[in-house]
């Protein structure tokens, strides 16, 4: 009998950071509230997506008009938030979020011709063998498709305090998520993508913006001859039911991991 396990595409990157934490959250349903930093990032994504969608459909709302979505998301999130989790007040969150949003609208968005923003993608099945199939589902919830001469590029908006290093948008650890989006976008639109790109918005006390070069995240997912990609490694985890821990992960803390209190592998 064939078993199908549905997995949100946007969660895929976490599987390769700490599979033990990922299993707890996405397969066992062990969750914890988000913090203010996560909410801030969600608000910036919502505002910038609204701005980019308006460019696509020709309504061309202003950055200030789209900023209303940023504030609405911060004040009325549709998910549970622990506002005491980060040392960040609502007033400071609004200031940082609005500054990052303005930077994006003025400096990043005009560089691109978007052909898709937060696209709903067709499910993509991964055959793990032994009657087990992983079905990737969802939307490019933080990504956009930008048209280039070489073909569509999956442009993924990243926010945080470490997304820009030495003035450059960091691509470290980004291939799993953007590569998944590349594969699912190709599967949905029946086109070949030209690569991925990170649109970075630093949400430190002094926000900044940067755009990475285009990189081939798809190759990391599918691998090359003689070198299995992340999909094959993921299939082995699902097939065996073994999701290895990573106590050296920067997210290995009670702040980020709902499984931390009972985890055998964390540093004590």
């Amino acid at each position: 009998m064939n078993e199908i396990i549905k997995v949100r595409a946007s969660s895929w990157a976490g599987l390769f950071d700490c599979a033990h934490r990922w299993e707890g959250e996405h397969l066992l349903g062990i969750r914890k509230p988000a913090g203010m930093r996560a909410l801030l990032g969600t608000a910036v994504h919502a505002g910038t997506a609204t701005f980019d969608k308006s460019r696509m459909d020709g309504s061309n709302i202003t950055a200030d008009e789209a900023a209303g979505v940023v504030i609405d998301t911060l004040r009325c999130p549709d998910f549970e938030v622990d506002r005491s989790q980060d040392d960040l007040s609502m007033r400071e969150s609004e200031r940082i979020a609005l500054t990052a949003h303005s930077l994006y609208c003025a400096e990043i968005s005009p560089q691109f011709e978007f052909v898709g923003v937060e696209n709903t993608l067709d499910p993509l099945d991964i055959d793990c063998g032994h009657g087990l199939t992983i079905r990737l589902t969802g939307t490019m919830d933080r990504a956009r498709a930008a048209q280039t001469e070489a073909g569509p590029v999956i442009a993924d908006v990243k926010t945080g305090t470490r997304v820009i290093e030495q003035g450059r948008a960091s691509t470290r650890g980004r291939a799993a998520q953007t590569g998944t989006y590349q594969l699912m976008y190709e599967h949905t639109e029946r086109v070949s993508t030209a690569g991925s790109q990170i649109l970075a918005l630093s949400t430190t006390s002094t926000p900044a913006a940067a755009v990475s070069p285009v990189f081939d995240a798809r190759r990391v997912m599918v691998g090359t001859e003689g070198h299995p990609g992340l999909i094959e490694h993921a299939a082995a985890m699902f097939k065996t039911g073994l999701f290895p821990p990573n106590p050296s992960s920067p997210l290995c803390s009670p702040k980020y991991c709902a499984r931390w209190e009972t985890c055998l592998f964390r540093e004590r």
Side-chain angles (χ1 to χ4, degrees):
M1 182 176 179
N2 190 46
E3 180 183 6
I4 298 176
I5 299 176
K6 294 182 179 180
V7 175
R8 286 191 305 110
S10 58
S11 78
W12 205 237
L15 176 63
F16 302 100
D17 177 60
C18 177
H20 191 66
R21 183 184 68 245
W22 186 94
E23 178 198 26
E25 181 176 351
H26 297 284
L27 296 185
L28 304 180
I30 306 171
R31 302 292 179 92
K32 65 176 297 158
M36 284 299 292
R37 286 272 172 203
L39 175 58
L40 191 160
T42 299
V44 173
H45 282 97
T48 56
T50 298
F51 183 78
D52 285 340
K53 286 177 181 178
S54 79
R55 289 187 56 217
M56 281 180 52
D57 65 24
S59 58
N60 291 317
I61 65 174
T62 67
D64 285 347
E65 290 169 331
V69 176
V70 177
I71 298 300
D72 289 344
T73 303
L74 279 172
R75 294 180 180 177
C76 302
D78 58 3
F79 53 89
E80 186 180 1
V81 178
D82 179 0
R83 297 183 185 272
S84 65
Q85 192 178 114
D86 297 296
D87 186 17
L88 196 64
S89 68
M90 176 60 74
R91 182 174 181 178
E92 181 67 357
S93 298
E94 290 182 356
R95 184 192 68 79
I96 293 173
L98 289 174
T99 303
H101 170 81
S102 296
L103 281 171
Y104 178 90
C105 296
E107 298 182 12
I108 293 182
S109 183
Q111 298 180 43
F112 298 94
E113 178 189 348
F114 293 111
V115 292
V117 178
E118 296 185 341
N119 292 44
T120 299
L121 301 172
D122 293 341
L124 177 63
D125 288 351
I126 299 172
D127 184 359
C128 299
H130 301 282
L132 177 63
T133 298
I134 304 305
R135 177 164 293 167
L136 296 176
T137 65
T139 63
M140 295 193 303
D141 57 351
R142 301 198 171 194
R144 294 107 217 254
Q147 188 61 45
T148 69
E149 292 182 0
V153 168
I154 303 303
D156 195 11
V157 178
K158 291 296 182 187
T159 60
T161 57
R162 298 178 183 175
V163 294
I164 297 178
E165 298 178 349
Q166 298 180 337
R168 298 180 180 180
S170 174
T171 59
R172 288 188 300 173
R174 306 302 189 193
Q177 183 170 5
T178 57
T180 301
Y181 286 150
Q182 272 190 252
L183 291 172
M184 293 188 71
Y185 187 84
E186 291 177 349
H187 174 65
T188 301
E189 300 295 334
R190 303 294 191 268
V191 297
S192 296
T193 56
S196 296
Q197 201 164 19
I198 300 300
L199 314 183
L201 291 168
S202 172
T203 53
T204 61
S205 57
T206 54
V211 176
S212 80
V214 175
F215 62 100
D216 187 5
R218 185 186 189 281
R219 184 176 68 93
V220 176
M221 295 299 294
V222 300
T224 59
E225 186 175 354
H227 295 86
L230 291 180
I231 286 178
E232 193 168 341
H233 286 289
M237 282 189 262
F238 281 95
K239 187 162 53 179
T240 62
L242 295 175
F243 295 87
N246 178 18
S248 64
S249 165
L251 302 182
C252 185
S253 77
K255 178 178 179 180
Y256 298 110
C257 180
R259 209 171 187 176
W260 193 85
E261 289 290 346
T262 59
C263 181
L264 173 67
F265 309 100
R266 66 177 174 85
E267 296 181 2
R268 296 176 185 274

